[in-house]
Amino acid sequence: MLWAGRMKLGTFGILLVFVHVSGACEFGPFPYSVTGIACRMTKPAALLLNQETAQVIQAAFRNAKFPNITGERSMRLLGKVAYWLTNIQVNDLSIEQSEVELKENDAIHIAIKNVTAVFKGTLTYGYAGAWFLQLFHSVDFEIESSIDLQINIKLMCQKDQVAADASDCYLTFHKLTLHLQGEKEPGWLKQLFTDFISFTLKLVLKSEVCNEINFLAQLLANFVHDLAANFVQDEDISLDISLASVPLIKANYLESHHKGLVLYKNYSDVFSDSVFSPVLLTESRMLYFWLSEHILNSLASAAFLDKRLALTIRGEELQALFQMEDTETQRKVVQMIFQGTSYNDSVAKVWSLAHPQISLHPEGTVVKSLVAVEIGIFPPGEESLMVLYMEKEITVTIQAAYVEKKLILHPLDSRIEFKVFKCTADPSGNDPSIRNFLQTMVAAVGIPEVISRIEPALTALMNSKGLNLFEIRNPEIITRKGYIIVQLDFSFPNHLLLDFLEKTL
């Protein structure tokens, strides 16, 4: 496969996160069975990222430290001529064209053509004449260069994540012209040092440029890995994104597979019956994420163990729930439950009693949870009193969307089954009006109220990881039996990698 055009250097840095050879890592006989997360990046996304990363390469070269070059040569009549090139810096780097080929042996071949750069520094030279006369001079210089690069990046797995070896690197020089300051030096001197320096300079440039590329390749691989690891971590809860299998390299996409096990304190997560297969994803969008139902269940369990599934409602928010409709029945039930106490002197607590159960289906995400609700009142001058306690099993089907950089959760239907019901206004439980009102209230406003709290919390969490920096276009969240697919097109924030390199280099 050959992708050509006026593209920029940098393909390897972004592609590294998706591919490797398994020489340093071992996978079981059925690696897809332990795949909790899969990521597919299609060719349009790879080309987009390739264009953006040219600025990263240029920033890296601007920060490169080139060593001093020294040499000497015996000349008739002049004796020994020695030279030093110091303070070498690269300026005006431009990259005209890049051709990228993905080889079936998990290597990326990059041919970069017409790379032009100006190297500046100071030339100090001296010679000892036949009569022991020593002369030393310093002059600023510029070296104009035109170079083609060929890079074969061999990819491997180290410590269950991608590593890269870009040491197979070749430079071809089409132009290497030395200019001395003001061109005032004798012509023979310029020719002398051009001949002396040319061979040595080519070796130094090849070494430094290729070392820089090799360093940057691994730097970018680590950067993307750390970025992904940070995105799936919140305080003590995180996902294990170590590789689960050898990624796929096809003509139109790259695909990586990750374990996706939940990590939380002493919580032990095991997963070996994934339904993932590459045929479940298409190639029409730029980026795909496949997530197993097991991941969502494990995350819900970790959130429960971390005591995150709890909610407190008081004051105006509590009033809005109980005054969803202004009817005689509503007023009677409120009076019975709160015993005339102001909403400002009352509090409702809602929490999960067990791990929520999550299942994925074409119609949406089905969440089943055993929930407790407790309402307490604090009459002025009196002791607090629990006036209502109930446990109920709630099953709700939810459809998710991502619109204008916000997560939207839409409940489709719900089922509520009371397990425990205690109310001081009806200790015998013979008055159905209270229970009927509460069941209607929970379905009509209680579940939407909880979801309305979850939406901004999850949106804020994703934005804190930098999701809002991306321009995401037409995202789709598709649920199927046992898994979920997120597919989208996007624009890459080109300052993201630049900011990282400026802090790192």
Side-chain angles (χ1 to χ4, degrees), residues 118-139:
V118 176
F119 296 88
K120 296 183 178 182
T122 301
L123 169 63
T124 301
Y125 62 93
Y127 47 90
W131 297 277
F132 304 102
L133 176 64
Q134 294 185 350
L135 299 174
F136 292 94
H137 301 277
S138 293
V139 62

Side-chain angles (χ1 to χ4, degrees), residues 37 160 225-226 228-229 232 239-243 257-261:
I37 303 173
D160 292 327
H225 178 273
D226 293 345
V232 293
L239 292 179
D240 176 10
I241 61 170
S242 59
L243 292 169
H257 316 103
H258 308 267
K259 294 177 182 177
L261 298 176

Side-chain angles (χ1 to χ4, degrees), residues 25 63 109 139 152 170 405 494:
C25 299
N63 287 279
H109 173 75
V139 62
N152 291 298
Y170 301 91
K405 300 188 177 184
N494 58 355

Side-chain angles (χ1 to χ4, degrees), residues 294-309:
H294 175 84
I295 287 181
L296 300 184
N297 268 304
S298 297
L299 285 173
S301 295
F304 170 78
L305 294 173
D306 204 42
K307 303 185 185 303
R308 299 191 186 193
L309 306 183

Side-chain angles (χ1 to χ4, degrees), residues 135-392:
L135 299 174
F136 292 94
H137 301 277
S138 293
V139 62
D140 291 336
F141 71 87
E142 289 186 358
I143 299 174
E144 295 182 5
S145 66
S146 178
I147 309 169
D148 288 348
L149 290 85
Q150 291 189 9
I151 309 164
N152 291 298
I153 304 173
K154 299 188 181 299
L155 305 156
M156 60 204 73
C157 178
Q158 293 180 353
K159 298 180 180 179
D160 292 327
Q161 71 178 69
V162 174
D165 178 9
S167 59
D168 188 4
C169 171
Y170 301 91
L171 275 68
T172 302
F173 291 85
H174 299 292
K175 178 182 179 181
L176 195 64
T177 305
L178 175 66
H179 297 284
L180 302 180
Q181 184 182 41
E183 301 289 2
K184 295 179 181 180
E185 300 298 327
W188 65 267
L189 184 64
K190 177 179 177 182
Q191 182 63 40
L192 173 69
F193 285 114
T194 297
D195 294 340
F196 278 9
I197 294 169
S198 179
F199 179 74
T200 305
L201 184 60
K202 288 179 181 179
L203 292 179
V204 171
L205 292 182
K206 176 188 182 302
S207 174
E208 293 305 312
V209 169
C210 290
N211 286 342
E212 190 70 25
I213 289 174
N214 198 17
F215 169 74
L216 185 62
Q218 190 55 54
L219 192 69
L220 288 177
N222 291 336
F223 168 68
V224 177
H225 178 273
D226 293 345
L227 195 68
N230 178 65
F231 189 84
V232 293
Q233 178 177 5
D234 181 47
E235 297 180 1
D236 291 333
I237 301 175
S238 63
L239 292 179
D240 176 10
I241 61 170
S242 59
L243 292 169
S245 66
V246 178
L248 296 177
I249 302 177
K250 298 295 184 181
N252 294 321
Y253 65 84
L254 303 170
E255 187 171 284
S256 62
H257 316 103
H258 308 267
K259 294 177 182 177
L261 298 176
V262 170
L263 306 175
Y264 173 73
K265 295 183 178 179
N266 296 325
Y267 178 79
S268 179
D269 193 13
V270 179
F271 183 49
S272 60
D273 57 353
S274 174
V275 299
F276 174 76
S277 171
V279 300
L280 298 176
L281 302 177
T282 64
E283 302 174 20
S284 60
R285 307 299 297 276
M286 294 175 69
L287 195 60
Y288 296 80
F289 295 99
W290 183 97
L291 292 90
S292 169
E293 175 182 282
H294 175 84
I295 287 181
L296 300 184
N297 268 304
S298 297
L299 285 173
S301 295
F304 170 78
L305 294 173
D306 204 42
K307 303 185 185 303
R308 299 191 186 193
L309 306 183
L311 178 65
T312 300
I313 306 173
R314 53 167 52 90
E316 294 181 357
E317 294 176 341
L318 185 61
Q319 181 178 2
L321 290 177
F322 278 89
Q323 291 186 351
M324 61 175 184
E325 57 182 19
D326 187 15
T327 64
E328 181 65 28
T329 300
Q330 177 267 336
R331 289 191 292 269
K332 176 183 176 183
V333 169
V334 168
Q335 178 63 33
M336 292 173 64
I337 294 176
F338 291 92
Q339 303 176 15
T341 303
S342 165
Y343 289 111
N344 290 328
D345 295 322
S346 308
V347 62
K349 298 179 180 179
V350 184
W351 69 94
S352 284
L353 293 168
H355 300 193
Q357 300 176 20
I358 298 176
S359 58
L360 298 172
H361 304 274
E363 58 269 21
T365 302
V366 179
V367 181
K368 184 177 181 180
S369 182
L370 182 62
V371 177
V373 178
E374 177 184 288
I375 296 179
I377 60 175
F378 305 88
E382 301 180 23
E383 293 184 359
S384 62
L385 176 65
M386 185 186 72
V387 295
L388 177 67
Y389 176 83
M390 56 183 177
E391 297 177 5
K392 52 191 183 297

Side-chain angles (χ1 to χ4, degrees), residues 470-485:
F470 293 80
E471 289 300 326
I472 297 176
R473 300 190 299 274
N474 304 320
E476 296 179 86
I477 302 176
I478 303 169
T479 53
R480 294 289 184 263
K481 179 65 176 177
Y483 62 91
I484 187 170
I485 296 174

